[in-house]
Structures are given as C-alpha cells and as structure tokens.
Amino acid sequence: RDVWLHIAAQSVQGGIDPGPLSVAGSMSAKENADLIRRQLNIAGRSVIGIFVPHDADITLNQDKWRDVAESLIAENRMILDATAAKVATSVYMQGSAQQISAYLKADVVVSAANGPDALKAALEAAVPTILKQQEAIVVVGGLTVPSVDVLAAWTKTLASQGIRLVPASKFTGLTQ
C-alpha cells in the first residue's frame, strides 16, 4: 500500500489559504524544499512520496520546480504530480542498483467536488483513456463519503473491462 503526502500548496486559483507550511511558486527552491521536508517530517516515515495537487502553483516555474523535485528524489522520495506542468521526468532515485523513475505524472485527474453523479460520469469518461494508454495514473480529488461509494462501485467494474488497479509506486519500478 502506498502512502503519499498531499502537500499543502498555494493554488493557482487564488483566494485559498493552504496554511503556514504551504509551498508556493513565489518562494525559492530552497524555501519550498525545506517546507516540503517539514511536511514530510510531520507526516512520518511511512510516506513514500509527495502528491502535488492539480491546482498547485509550485510547478509553474519549471526550473525552480525541477530543482525542488531533484532534491527530494535525491533523498529517495517519489513525486506524483497532478498539475498540467511539463517537467523533465528523467530524474531517478539515487543509490539504486536499477534506475527507478521517481517522478510520476497523473494521466487522468478527476474531481469529486461536483457531487457523486458528476464523479460517476467523469470516471466513466476516463475509461477509454485508461484503456488506450495501457498504463495510466488516475487521481481522484475532493473525496467525500458519497463520492467514495461511487469510486468503490466504479472500481468493481474495472476488471470486467480488462483494467487492473495497482499502487502508483508500481509505475516506478520500485519493489517494496
């Protein structure tokens, strides 16, 4: 089972206060890396990597974000990025006998914020993308109790469509 830290990050939407430990595109790479490390320390040792939410502004400056990502990966942390940013993904875990891609991009991002019916429609619409790509990372955000029920029902339909769910870390080549 993967445990990912959903980092506190400033949103591109503005008007949202993500809290005192949040990372932001307006900060230096060092400041952001330090804040992420603080969040990781609070979360504990079971966390294998960070999840960057789809609306985080930290990835807008690609050079700065690459520096942050590379510093985290050098510490053997994985990154699951749900933003639209185009970031060089040729960064790998250090100290491994094999090259392990530690930077994952979400292929499908679905929000549950608009209610269970909208979530159900969005998940059904994602199936062709998942099938076409053969391997796809799907991120579902904004979950509520009713949307978890929709998600659970949807996952039960996947095997009959030839789709198998695996932890995101399996995309890295990392064996746990």
Side-chain angles (χ1 to χ4, degrees):
R1 186 178 120 190
D2 290 354
V3 178
W4 295 84
L5 171 65
H6 183 289
I7 61 168
Q10 185 61 51
S11 172
V12 294
Q13 298 172 18
I16 300 170
D17 181 3
L21 293 179
S22 64
V23 296
S26 61
M27 298 173 149
S28 72
K30 182 183 180 332
E31 289 172 310
N32 280 319
D34 289 346
L35 285 169
I36 292 171
R37 284 186 196 97
R38 286 180 64 194
Q39 291 182 47
L40 285 164
N41 286 338
I42 291 168
R45 294 179 182 242
S46 61
V47 173
I48 65 168
I50 66 166
F51 169 70
V52 183
H54 75 283
D55 63 341
D57 79 346
I58 189 172
T59 62
L60 295 178
N61 181 321
Q62 293 177 14
D63 292 333
K64 194 186 310 184
W65 172 238
R66 184 183 59 248
D67 292 345
V68 172
E70 287 177 348
S71 73
L72 292 169
I73 290 167
E75 297 168 9
N76 290 325
R77 297 289 187 173
M78 292 188 289
I79 298 169
L80 175 51
D81 182 354
T83 69
K86 303 292 184 223
V87 179
T89 57
S90 60
V91 285
Y92 296 93
M93 290 249 187
Q94 304 299 311
S96 174
Q98 61 187 16
Q99 279 195 330
I100 300 169
S101 177
Y103 195 100
L104 306 172
K105 288 292 289 180
D107 298 300
V108 177
V109 179
V110 177
S111 173
N114 296 323
D117 292 338
L119 175 60
K120 182 178 180 182
L123 290 169
E124 289 171 1
V127 169
T129 300
I130 296 166
L131 289 169
K132 179 180 174 195
Q133 291 190 216
Q134 300 284 317
E135 294 182 347
I137 296 176
V138 178
V139 172
V140 182
L143 292 173
T144 61
V145 172
S147 60
V148 169
D149 293 340
V150 169
L151 184 60
W154 179 72
T155 60
K156 290 177 184 175
T157 69
L158 298 179
S160 66
Q161 298 177 69
I163 298 171
R164 183 173 60 108
L165 296 177
V166 297
S169 62
K170 297 296 181 192
F171 285 88
T172 67
L174 183 65
T175 55
Q176 297 179 333

